[in-house]
Amino acid sequence: MADELKRRLVHASGSGLVALYLLADALELGLTWPRFQVLMVVLALGAVVLEVLRLYVGLEWWLYEKLTREYEQNQFAGYGYYMVSMTIVVLLFPEDIALPAMLMLAIGDPIAGYVSADTLTRFKDRKTLVTMFVVSTLLALPFFLETPLVAVAAALGATIADGITIRVREFVVDDNLTIPLYAAVLGSVALAIVPA
């Protein structure tokens, strides 16, 4: 249980990246969107390199034991998918879409996971789905005060990604990969449809 709480806190720490970008002007950091994109690419590449070293070279840090789940011991770990998916949305979508999508993964997913039955079923229970949808909507609303339906659409995307387990043969697609992507795609579609 203690390790699970640590994993959730590390998960939530990704919101610090969003906060860093949003506070960059006030702190005079010079962190423009293109520079933030470069930062995210560097972080994602770092995560991928660490996973390659762990899986193929045998790099064993005590941190891996604490922060990876048992089923991740011999496969690409969730934190790698986490960084890769956040980076993809930052590269492919504008900041008003990418930032809430990142928050849905960083904050929405661990909160929904906390109320979840934590079983690997095809569909998550109603309580988990409602929690993910409500939290994700609340996270997105500040970015879409004039078009709240966009926030709802993005939250729906995150909820679908979190709530439906996708299997490709024996491989289970990690929701750390899909949550930001689904949120960004549905949010973008809604933004294109909903009048400003």
Side-chain angles (χ1 to χ4, degrees):
M1 186 64 178
D3 287 346
E4 191 58 34
L5 179 60
K6 289 174 191 169
R7 279 192 283 269
R8 294 193 197 287
L9 290 173
V10 169
H11 213 285
S13 71
S15 61
L17 291 166
V18 176
L20 176 68
Y21 178 74
L22 293 174
L23 295 172
D25 282 346
L27 299 174
E28 298 180 1
L29 297 177
L31 186 61
T32 61
W33 188 247
R35 288 178 180 168
F36 186 66
Q37 290 173 316
V38 170
L39 172 64
M40 292 302 297
V41 168
V42 169
L43 293 173
L45 287 174
V48 170
V49 167
L50 285 174
E51 275 302 279
V52 168
L53 290 174
R54 182 179 72 89
L55 292 170
Y56 300 106
V57 177
L59 178 67
E60 289 296 331
W61 286 345
W62 65 269
L63 197 60
Y64 286 134
E65 191 176 310
K66 297 289 183 190
L67 298 179
T68 57
R69 293 187 169 96
E70 188 176 324
Y71 69 85
E72 294 175 319
Q73 298 301 312
N74 297 314
Q75 66 182 37
F76 198 77
Y79 80 92
Y81 290 118
Y82 180 100
M83 287 309 306
V84 167
S85 66
M86 282 192 171
T87 301
I88 291 171
V89 297
V90 165
L91 292 175
L92 297 182
F93 298 91
E95 57 194 82
D96 61 339
I97 293 287
L99 296 174
M102 292 171 70
L103 288 174
M104 290 176 200
L105 175 59
I107 298 174
D109 187 34
I111 291 174
Y114 180 76
V115 303
S116 171
D118 207 25
T119 55
L120 193 60
T121 56
R122 177 91 170 110
F123 301 100
K124 289 192 178 168
D125 59 279
R126 184 179 302 147
K127 183 179 177 184
T128 304
L129 296 173
V130 169
T131 301
M132 184 64 176
F133 179 73
V134 169
V135 171
S136 295
T137 301
L138 292 174
L139 291 168
L141 276 173
F143 295 88
F144 299 105
L145 291 174
E146 295 185 12
T147 53
L149 287 178
V150 176
V152 170
L156 179 61
T159 303
I160 292 168
D162 184 54
I164 301 174
T165 302
I166 301 171
R167 287 183 185 270
V168 179
R169 294 191 182 149
E170 296 303 311
F171 178 73
V172 177
V173 179
D174 196 305
D175 65 3
N176 285 339
L177 182 62
T178 56
I179 288 171
L181 298 174
Y182 286 28
V185 169
L186 265 66
S188 293
V189 169
L191 192 59
I193 296 171
V194 175

